[in-house]
Amino acid sequence: GNVDYKDLMAATDAALKLPFVDPTRTGVCGGSYGGFMTNWIVGHTDRFKAAITERSLSNLFSFYGTSDIGFEDYREFGGAAFDRPEAYAKMSAITYVKNVKTPLLILHSENDLRCPMEQAEQFYSMLKALKKDVEFVRFPEECHDLSRTGRPDRRLARLEFIVRWWETKL
């Protein structure tokens, strides 16, 4: 959400200079860390016409206590979430939820232990409360690797949701 955000915006600027890129139809999407970055991006710029976040995290404080790896974040933040809540909040996409203007599709698997379902639920609930353009699709019985190892019908459904979102929003 800092240097990585700047790098992604610089890459976007470079892509927009290409003759075959339509600057009025750009979208952003990502999964896992890319999902975190998508959540971060939509809270910090409205330059994209639509966004898709998958298997993402939005609240680093709760992620610390619910993920199978969140407790390792102390290395990034110089301490545990309970000791440095301000640092975790500053780098949590959910902190900037009021700034979101980009339509967002959230795709998440119910059995994701890396990025627990509550991460998507929190972001979605706040966006809905703010009357933002957001949709949320939950995949039952799937884990963090839905796109790679999920049940074939659910992998196809995921792709159909993605295509429909881009067709509708871009």
Side-chain angles (χ1 to χ4, degrees):
N2 190 359
V3 174
D4 43 4
Y5 171 73
K6 292 174 186 169
D7 284 348
L8 291 169
M9 293 306 98
T12 300
D13 292 338
L16 290 172
K17 292 177 183 171
L18 299 171
F20 54 85
V21 175
D22 181 347
T24 67
R25 298 179 62 220
T26 58
V28 60
C29 65
S32 197
Y33 187 76
F36 163 77
M37 285 307 304
T38 298
N39 296 344
W40 184 268
I41 287 167
V42 299
H44 286 81
T45 183
D46 62 357
R47 72 186 300 177
F48 297 97
K49 189 165 181 182
I52 300 173
T53 185
E54 300 183 74
R55 61 191 182 278
S56 68
L57 62 109
S58 60
N59 182 337
L60 288 161
F61 190 85
S62 64
F63 180 77
Y64 187 92
T66 58
S67 171
D68 68 347
I69 198 170
F71 59 88
E72 294 288 342
D73 283 350
Y74 75 91
R75 294 177 181 148
E76 296 289 327
F77 294 101
F82 46 80
D83 289 328
R84 306 215 53 230
E86 303 84 16
Y88 284 75
K90 180 180 178 189
M91 297 310 298
S92 291
I94 206 161
T95 301
Y96 309 95
V97 72
K98 285 185 174 182
N99 301 336
V100 175
K101 293 182 178 81
T102 308
L104 181 65
L105 173 62
I106 300 171
L107 303 175
H108 214 97
S109 296
E110 290 183 347
N111 291 339
D112 191 336
L113 301 177
R114 179 62 31 105
C115 296
M117 177 59 74
E118 59 91 22
Q119 292 290 308
E121 290 169 336
Q122 286 185 58
F123 208 53
Y124 174 76
S125 295
M126 287 199 184
L127 289 167
K128 281 306 272 187
L130 291 164
K131 302 198 180 336
K132 305 291 186 170
D133 186 355
V134 61
E135 288 185 29
F136 182 19
V137 179
R138 300 168 66 109
F139 291 93
E141 302 172 354
E142 297 295 345
C143 68
H144 194 70
D145 293 326
L146 165 66
S147 63
R148 297 171 292 278
T149 63
R151 219 170 73 181
D153 61 323
R154 292 187 185 130
R155 282 189 282 161
L156 285 172
R158 173 188 160 269
L159 292 172
E160 289 167 0
F161 281 112
I162 291 169
V163 169
R164 180 190 54 80
W165 187 258
W166 292 140
E167 286 177 344
T168 303
K169 300 298 181 180
L170 298 182

